[in-house]
Structure formats: structure tokens, C-alpha cells
Amino acid sequence: MGEFGHVYKEQYAVALFNSVRFEIEGGGGPQSQLLHRKNPLEDHSIFSGGLFQYLEGNKKWRNRFVFVADSYNVSFYENKVAHERGLHPRGTINCAGYKALTSMEEYLDLVSTSLPGVKAKVGSGPFVKGATQFPLILWHPYARHHYFCVLTEKEQTKWHAVLQDCVRHSNNGLSEECRVQTPAFTDAVRLYRQAQGHYGTWDMMCGGPPQILANLVMETLYPELRNLIGPRLKGKMQQRQRNWMLISEAVYKQVLSQTQAQYEALVQACEVETPRLDAALRTDMDQIITSKEHVSGKIRALVLPRAEQLLRRSVQPYVSSILEALMEPTSTGFSEVRDVFFRELVEVSKNTLNGGGKDKLGEHMEKISMLAFHPVKMQSCYEKVEQLSLEGLQQRFDVSSPSVFVQRAQILMREQMDNAVYTFEQLLHQSLEEKDQRGEDLCKTIQCCQDRVLKKYDYDSSTVRKKFFREALLQIIIPYMLKQLAPSCHPDFPPFQEMIFEDFSQFILVENMFEEVVLQSVTKDIMMAVKEAAVQKRHNLYRDSMILTNSDPNLHLLGESPSVDWATQFGGGDEEPDKTPEGCGRSKWQRRQVVSMIKLDGMGPLPYESCLEVPGEDFIPEEGEDFIPEEGEDFIPEEGEDFIPEEGEMMEEEEECQHT
């Protein structure tokens, strides 16, 4: 952490320089056509209900009330009443870095890699056997594993989609709005790993900075501990695996607590220096830029010929194939987003025409408002991009897995869906306020707003995808080129550092300028490849010269409006908000839920239903499903589903469940 702290402080000054320079000189890409909602999940939760959870302390399955908040943290309670009373949860899981699994075979494959030479047999587990045929497992390479199960496949499918969304959201833990801290942190992590010889993408860049730093430490520490401790573990295969997992969890927890404290201290130290650095930058910006351009010219003369030769020989032949591998599944996913949005609006038009009036419209719009954050409804979109494969290219360009690009594309798809929904809401609400409409007139208004939004979506989708393709290509190619060029170029760098004035040396680093030169050498080829795809109109990409101007000159004014409360304004909602501090207008357990509860057609809530209803409104209904026992009730499997016995298991249930 000491070495990383030094790198971070260097990159913080560079990032501050870039931020101030951008502020002074300006810049930016094409303007978005769709509106962006600032706080889409305000007063909403994602999902809640009952799940069987395996408790290691007493080797039993107990039904817990599980609540997924707008933070996407998964909290589990003794029962629903404990949640409603505001009691502390038995445990809370931050899903960053986890994988959500639905089969014991998948889980055993991952567990088998934890200890070399120890292979689990299919049908056995490290220390637990599934109580039903439908497990849900949260696996992490270092942290505690969590075991849940349900009784039906439909329940498993829904919960799996929810847990995958929790992982997806939690992995995306670095805020793009932090114009200095985020680039400083990501560059520091990348440079630190490169100094250790690790180039290429890293699939454990997950969560917030403390979690990423803990993963960074464990990347080196984990194999060392495994080689040191692994051979000394005694007992049967399952016991050795279990003991190693407990050791790994304890080490990771300790590492995470230290990285949390040290990162906070590091950020605080940089923030103390920010006023001084900012003042120096604004005073000497012209001289700093001139000095940087002078040194960059010298580095470019050294590096560019070598970079261009490497580019022609080892990169250019693969650019088109990499781009095609990215474009097909990503564009199919964005197209599916458009189709899902279109189908939902067609359904609104049909139901409004048949039911008549604004009351029904408000009811249907309340369901659509959270469409982007409904993991089950969005699952068909996410599955399209999960087909992304870089097979044949991963080893050459040192890409650990395509998951980095898959999850980034899925986050962008969700953002575009919410932008489209929010824009449609604002346009429709504006039209409804202007005049009273019913029947066919209302359907025509919906159709008109729909067409306007789809046109904007197509443009923004093209812009977002082109940016994603360019960034993905750079993420794949640049580390490969740096790895190839560094051995021959680094010995020539010391004289360049001496050319920089001492007062400017904290803002101008030779290593950063070297990477900028390599970036410039390949950018032209990447831009041309993406531009060529757009010119050929492949995958519905627009040319850069295609600009929508003045299509809705006053639309941006609607972007300042709050989200429309359709249930209250048009749907006859008469619910009085609970003005509690934690609820911000609704208490925590009364918040509207994005994913609907499970109800059987023609019946009220069952005493043993799997997903128990929380106060609020049902959103985007799905099919009815079966049930599981009440929360808090022990579940002991039938004969033949007994648990694998443990030796020396002394943990108490209370201690086992506390995981935050």
C-alpha cells in the first residue's frame, strides 16, 4: 500500500492538471438527445422476499427475509417483521466481485481451483449439500461464499436475475463524476500492476476503491499464502477446502479493513494539497503545457517509430476482427433494449385504449417507469451481450476474460433504457398537462411521443456504442503495445525527466507521456475502423457527420423536472408518504418495489409464499409462482439430502450471520 500510495499521489496531481486544463480549454463529444434522470431509484427498492439460507453454525437451512435496497446491497433478516421494525439485518452482502451461480457443478468447478491438487467430485460439496434442486450461490475468489435456495425453477430464475443485477451494479463502483479521484485511482492501479508485470484487463477491478485495493493486495498475497499453507492442511478433501476458504475469508476481511483506512487517509492527504496544486496550475498553466509539449515531442521522436512498426506488424491485422467480435453482441443487446421498450409502450397504448382515460394510463406508466432497473425484464437484453467472445484473441492481447466488456456494455444498456423511459415520461406528461385527452386521441399522443423517443434512442445508441467500441479496443490493444515497447524504451527515459522544470515535475510525468504517445499511435486506426463500420451502416451505427439538431430545442428544460409520480397524479394514488428521515418521504420498508411480488392468479397471498409482499405497489407483474416456508422456519432436507458432516465446527449462528 505504501508503494501504491506514492503512485496515487503522482497520478492525483496529473489528473488534477488534466481536469483544470479541460475546464479552461473546454471540449466534449456529441450532445445526448435523451434526457438523463439524476436519481432514478429514489423512494424505490429492488426486490424482497423469502430465501432459504444455509447457516454454517448449526448446519441448517433457515428461511430469511431478504431485502435488496436501491444501493443493491443484499440484506437478510430473521423475518419480515424484523425488517419492518427497522432492526439491524443479520447480515449485508456487498456483491462486488461475486458471481451469482445456479448450479452446484458451476460452484464446484470454481472451488476446485482454490487449492491445487484438490478436486471436488460432482455431487459433493466442500461442506454443504443443496437442500433443493434450485440453489443460488454467491461465489467470491477471496471473501465468504453465501448459499441460498428456493423450491421452484421460476423463483430461481427471478432471484438469479436480481442477484446478477446486484453484482453488475456493485462492480461498477467508481463514479465517473469524480473528475480527479477516479482517473487518478484507475491510472494508479493500472501503473502499479504494470510495475508488477501485469498488463491487460483485470476482472477484479470491482467495487469501490477499498475493495479494488483489497483485490490488488490479494492478487499477490493469495497465491503466496496458498503455497505456504495449502500443503499443511490436513483432513479429507472437503475439510481442507473448507478450512482454506475460512482462512481466505479471514485474510480478505483483514486486508479490506486496512485498505479502507489507508485509502481514506490517502484521499484526505491529497485533498489537503489540492488548493495549493490548483493555485499553481491556474497560475502557470501555459508554461506547464509548453513544457509538456516540448518533452512530449522528444519522447514521440523516440517512441513513435517503434510503436508504428509494432502496430503494422502485430496490431493492425487484428483490429477489424476484434471490432466485429465487440459489435455483433453489443449491438444486438442495444437493439433488444429498443424492442423491449417498444413492446412495453405498445402494451400501454392497447391497455389505455381498452381501459380508457388517464387513470389507467397512470397505472401502466407507473409500471414502466422503473423498466431499466427491472432485472427480469432486462434479462433478455443482458443475455445478448453475454455472447461476446474474444476467443483466439484473449491470449494474444492478454485479456483475462470478456466479462469486463460485457458488464460495461450492460451498464450502458441500462442507462440508455432509463434515459428513453424518462424522456418518454416527460414528453407524455407535458402533452397531458396541455389538454385533456382520452381514447384514440390519447393513443395518438402516446404514439407521437414514442416515435420521437425512438428516434433519439437510435442516435444516442449509436453514439454510446461507438464510444464503447473505441474504448474497448484501446483497453485491449494499448496494454499489449506497452508491454512490448516498455523493455526497449524505459532505459532511455531518465534524460527526459531532467528536461522538466522542478516546479512542474509533479504535473508532468514521463511514464504518462510515453503512454500518451502509444495511445496517439493507435488511435487513428481505431477511429478509422469504427468510422468505416458507421459509413457502411453496420449494426445501425450512424456516421459522425450525422447530427440531430434542434429536433426538440426546449427538451433540455424538461430534464430539470422531477420524475413523474404517475400513481398519485393519474392513477388515483392516495397513499400518504411517511415523512421519516431514513425514508425520505417513505419509510425504508414502504418504498415502492421495482420487481413485482409473486401472487397466484385468483388467490390472495399464501401463508408460505416465496416472495412475501412488502407495503407498496406491484411493479411490472410476472407469472405466479410456487411457495416456500415462512421466514424464520428451519428447513431440514429429506432423507438423501442430508448435510456433509463437519469436524470442529464451533461457530454460533449469530456470529456466522454477521457479514457486512
Side-chain angles (χ1 to χ4, degrees):
M1 284 297 297
E3 185 179 345
F4 174 84
H6 175 71
V7 177
Y8 178 83
K9 289 178 179 178
E10 288 184 335
Q11 294 306 311
Y12 186 88
V14 173
L16 184 63
F17 163 70
N18 292 332
S19 176
V20 173
R21 183 176 183 181
F22 181 85
E23 177 189 328
I24 294 173
E25 297 180 350
Q31 185 175 357
S32 172
Q33 295 293 312
L34 295 169
L35 300 176
H36 177 70
R37 181 163 21 196
K38 294 179 180 178
N39 189 8
L41 287 173
E42 185 177 9
D43 281 344
H44 286 82
S45 63
I46 304 301
F47 197 33
S48 63
L51 277 180
F52 287 125
Q53 182 188 26
Y54 178 65
L55 305 179
E56 299 175 40
N58 59 13
K59 302 181 181 68
K60 289 183 179 180
W61 292 85
R62 182 178 286 272
N63 193 23
R64 297 299 194 196
F65 182 81
V66 180
F67 180 77
V68 182
D70 57 355
S71 65
Y72 284 87
N73 285 340
V74 179
S75 300
F76 41 94
Y77 297 79
E78 180 70 28
N79 49 45
K80 180 182 174 184
V81 174
H83 169 65
E84 291 174 354
R85 289 178 177 173
L87 302 180
H88 288 295
R90 284 300 194 96
T92 298
I93 307 169
N94 182 309
C95 292
Y98 277 89
K99 287 185 179 180
L101 310 174
T102 56
S103 78
M104 191 58 71
E105 287 73 20
E106 283 183 279
Y107 177 66
L108 292 179
D109 286 342
L110 292 170
V111 169
S112 295
T113 63
S114 61
L115 276 177
V118 179
K119 298 294 181 183
K121 299 177 181 178
V122 175
S124 66
F127 57 94
V128 59
K129 181 179 277 189
T132 75
Q133 302 176 52
F134 308 105
L136 290 157
I137 303 170
L138 286 172
W139 173 90
H140 192 284
Y142 314 125
R144 173 179 297 187
H145 303 169
H146 299 272
Y147 310 90
F148 305 96
C149 68
V150 291
L151 289 182
T152 70
E153 186 177 1
K154 289 181 179 179
E155 282 282 63
Q156 184 189 47
T157 299
K158 173 173 282 189
W159 273 107
H160 186 230
V162 171
L163 293 176
Q164 280 183 309
D165 220 30
C166 292
V167 172
R168 189 180 297 116
H169 181 88
S170 302
N171 284 350
N172 190 43
L174 299 177
S175 172
E176 296 181 5
E177 295 179 2
C178 298
R179 299 297 178 85
V180 178
Q181 284 188 14
T182 294
F185 181 79
T186 54
D187 286 346
V189 169
R190 180 176 47 77
L191 289 169
Y192 177 85
R193 294 189 75 246
Q194 287 176 188
Q196 311 301 315
H198 302 299
Y199 290 78
T201 59
W202 186 39
D203 54 9
M204 287 306 291
M205 191 84 169
C206 303
Q211 291 165 298
I212 294 172
L213 289 176
N215 295 337
L216 192 65
V217 172
M218 293 297 288
E219 186 178 29
T220 302
L221 183 60
Y222 186 85
E224 292 178 357
L225 286 176
R226 186 175 60 187
N227 293 335
L228 178 65
I229 299 174
R232 303 181 183 183
L233 295 175
K234 306 299 181 182
K236 295 181 180 180
M237 173 197 68
Q238 294 160 352
Q239 188 64 38
R240 280 182 287 158
Q241 286 180 328
R242 168 170 164 57
N243 288 339
W244 173 247
M245 288 161 62
L246 292 173
I247 292 169
S248 174
E249 175 199 336
V251 171
Y252 183 73
K253 190 181 295 186
Q254 180 67 22
V255 169
L256 183 58
S257 68
Q258 293 194 25
T259 55
Q260 176 79 46
Q262 294 188 35
Y263 178 73
E264 290 174 358
L266 191 59
V267 170
Q268 187 175 4
C270 289
E271 287 178 346
V272 169
E273 287 292 304
T274 298
R276 180 185 67 81
L277 295 173
D278 188 79
L281 281 169
R282 296 183 186 279
T283 302
D284 300 324
M285 179 59 75
D286 290 342
Q287 294 94 317
I288 295 173
I289 293 174
T290 301
S291 177
K292 180 181 178 181
E293 289 178 349
H294 172 71
V295 180
S296 290
K298 301 288 186 181
I299 296 175
R300 188 178 298 108
L302 170 72
V303 174
L304 197 56
R306 305 177 189 181
E308 289 179 342
Q309 183 180 4
L310 176 64
L311 186 65
R312 288 192 299 270
R313 184 181 69 248
S314 303
V315 175
Q316 284 178 344
Y318 300 95
V319 171
S320 59
S321 57
I322 299 174
L323 179 58
E324 187 58 38
L326 293 167
M327 283 198 302
E328 177 65 32
T330 304
S331 297
T332 304
F334 274 83
S335 179
E336 181 68 12
V337 169
R338 189 187 196 278
D339 292 343
V340 170
F341 176 66
F342 176 78
R343 288 195 296 267
E344 293 292 335
L345 294 190
V346 168
E347 199 64 27
V348 169
S349 296
K350 287 181 180 178
N351 292 333
T352 303
L353 186 60
N354 295 333
K358 293 182 180 179
D359 291 346
K360 282 293 182 183
L361 175 64
E363 180 183 332
H364 298 311
M365 285 304 301
E366 189 72 4
K367 297 172 184 176
I368 286 185
S369 180
M370 290 289 103
L371 179 60
F373 301 93
H374 193 297
V376 179
K377 289 286 186 179
M378 290 291 292
Q379 188 63 19
S380 63
C381 309
Y382 296 149
E383 287 175 350
K384 301 291 184 184
V385 76
E386 285 172 0
Q387 299 173 16
L388 192 155
S389 172
L390 298 173
E391 191 173 352
L393 298 168
Q394 283 184 219
Q395 187 172 1
R396 179 177 186 82
F397 290 99
D398 199 15
V399 179
S400 56
S401 79
S403 62
V404 174
F405 307 110
V406 169
Q407 290 196 7
R408 178 58 182 163
Q410 290 172 337
I411 290 293
L412 293 173
M413 288 158 58
R414 188 178 71 180
E415 289 177 357
Q416 289 302 298
M417 174 66 92
D418 191 55
N419 290 348
V421 168
Y422 179 56
T423 305
F424 177 80
E425 285 185 280
Q426 294 298 327
L427 289 173
L428 181 60
H429 185 251
Q430 183 187 52
S431 299
L432 294 177
E433 284 188 322
E434 292 174 354
K435 59 180 179 179
D436 186 39
Q437 302 175 55
R438 291 184 180 275
E440 292 186 6
D441 289 340
L442 185 54
C443 285
K444 288 179 180 178
T445 299
I446 294 173
Q447 180 69 43
C448 180
C449 295
Q450 170 189 298
D451 292 343
R452 290 166 68 185
V453 171
L454 288 176
K455 182 178 180 181
K456 297 176 186 299
Y457 174 83
D458 289 340
Y459 180 83
D460 279 7
S461 167
S462 173
T463 303
V464 167
R465 281 180 292 139
K466 286 191 293 185
K467 182 182 178 184
F468 169 72
F469 297 148
R470 289 192 290 263
E471 291 177 350
L473 283 167
L474 289 173
Q475 280 184 272
I476 293 170
I477 294 171
I478 292 297
Y480 169 77
M481 294 188 66
L482 291 175
K483 186 176 183 179
Q484 301 298 316
L485 293 170
S488 62
C489 294
H490 276 171
D492 299 323
F493 285 171
F496 296 126
Q497 193 65 47
E498 297 173 3
M499 297 181 185
I500 303 169
F501 291 125
E502 185 176 352
D503 292 344
F504 304 158
S505 60
Q506 55 192 329
F507 307 115
I508 307 173
L509 300 178
V510 171
E511 184 65 31
N512 289 70
M513 288 188 286
F514 164 59
E515 294 193 356
E516 288 174 8
V517 171
V518 176
L519 175 66
Q520 292 164 5
S521 71
V522 74
T523 296
K524 182 180 178 181
D525 288 89
I526 289 175
M527 296 288 286
M528 287 298 297
V530 176
K531 182 179 179 180
E532 182 65 25
V535 169
Q536 296 176 5
K537 298 182 179 180
R538 291 160 62 192
H539 304 293
N540 200 30
L541 292 175
Y542 290 174
R543 299 190 305 274
D544 292 340
S545 58
M546 180 76 175
I547 301 175
L548 295 180
T549 56
N550 297 323
S551 56
D552 278 300
N554 297 320
L555 180 62
H556 69 282
L557 298 177
L558 295 177
E560 303 301 319
S561 304
S563 296
V564 182
D565 191 339
W566 294 98
T568 301
Q569 294 190 34
F570 299 101
D574 54 1
E575 176 185 323
E576 286 294 326
D578 183 353
K579 301 292 185 180
T580 58
E582 67 175 346
C584 301
R586 280 187 177 86
S587 68
K588 182 170 62 175
W589 68 273
Q590 286 177 315
R591 295 183 180 188
R592 296 171 179 170
Q593 186 158 288
V594 175
V595 183
S596 63
M597 294 297 102
I598 310 303
K599 291 182 180 179
L600 298 177
D601 294 339
M603 298 180 63
L606 294 171
Y608 298 113
E609 63 182 352
S610 173
C611 297
L612 305 174
E613 183 178 1
V614 276
E617 301 196 24
D618 291 351
F619 280 76
I620 311 182
E622 281 108 27
E623 298 180 71
E625 301 177 16
D626 294 335
F627 55 88
I628 60 177
E630 287 279 9
E631 58 279 275
E633 181 177 336
D634 287 353
F635 179 85
I636 302 177
E638 299 287 339
E639 185 177 353
E641 292 184 324
D642 54 333
F643 301 96
I644 297 174
E646 292 300 320
E647 296 179 13
E649 177 55 72
M650 300 298 293
M651 285 187 175
E652 294 295 332
E653 177 184 334
E654 292 291 329
E655 179 184 346
E656 183 67 20
C657 288
Q658 295 300 327
H659 176 62
T660 302

